[in-house]
Amino acid sequence: MSTTSPSPHGLRFAFGTLSVLPVGVSRWDREAARGGMLCAPLVGLVLGCAAAAVSLTLLFLGAGSLLAAVAGTAAGAVLTRGLHLDGLADTADGLGSGKPAEDALRIMKQSDVGPFGVITLVLVLFAQTAALAQLYDGSWARGALAAVVSAVAARLSLTLAARAGVPAARPE
């Protein structure tokens, strides 16, 4: 498989891992994962367009920009199973613990969300919603574009972090 043209398995891997969309992932191996990371920005494009569509529908039905922004932010969370929010909360709990690296990693792996995770989630979701609401206030097109660009950029970071030469977080 070429790193410039991922297989259909990579595309399904990306959508199956990064979204709730039912795509029938049939391979969970290294090659499919590599292709999946290359396709991650495409997943962002689809999810960003879906979140923007939810917001725009509400705006065109007469809702205010704040409600449209809340709905768009919620749509992004629902369409990803909250995967990014869970990771953010785990990271905040681990880093906020002030513990040595091994203990911080153990905290991050726990299934519960601690106080740092909750505070971080609340503030980040408020900030995302406020920024989106302000953009929708200025122009529905600007708000929609921001929803799409932010979703693509977030998934592009996965592609960049998974490229050859970037060291793994843990040797295993």
Side-chain angles (χ1 to χ4, degrees):
M1 175 181 101
S2 166
T3 58
T4 57
S5 58
S7 72
H9 294 293
L11 191 59
R12 284 194 296 273
F13 185 94
F15 277 95
T17 304
L18 302 174
S19 78
V20 298
L21 302 176
V23 293
V25 179
S26 57
R27 284 183 45 193
W28 294 93
D29 58 20
R30 203 168 191 63
E31 185 177 330
R34 183 180 305 112
M37 291 304 98
L38 289 173
C39 293
L42 179 59
V43 176
L45 178 65
V46 170
L47 298 179
C49 286
V54 168
S55 295
L56 292 175
T57 299
L58 286 173
L59 284 174
F60 292 140
L61 290 174
S65 60
L66 180 58
L67 181 57
V70 168
T73 302
V78 169
L79 290 171
T80 62
R81 290 183 197 92
L83 180 66
H84 60 297
L85 296 173
D86 181 51
L88 176 63
D90 289 344
T91 301
D93 282 336
L95 295 176
S97 71
K99 304 275 185 188
E102 293 236 354
D103 292 334
L105 283 172
R106 183 185 45 75
I107 290 168
M108 289 180 197
K109 287 182 181 182
Q110 293 174 348
S111 62
D112 61 332
V113 178
F116 282 105
V118 170
I119 291 166
T120 300
L121 287 178
V122 167
L123 293 176
V124 165
L125 289 171
F126 276 161
Q128 286 178 341
T129 301
L132 203 51
Q134 186 171 8
L135 290 166
Y136 278 125
D137 260 345
S139 158
W140 65 266
R142 198 175 310 142
L145 181 62
V148 173
V149 168
S150 63
V152 171
R155 277 63 184 189
L156 179 60
S157 68
L158 290 172
T159 303
L160 295 175
R163 71 188 188 281
V166 175
R170 289 182 299 231
E172 69 276 2

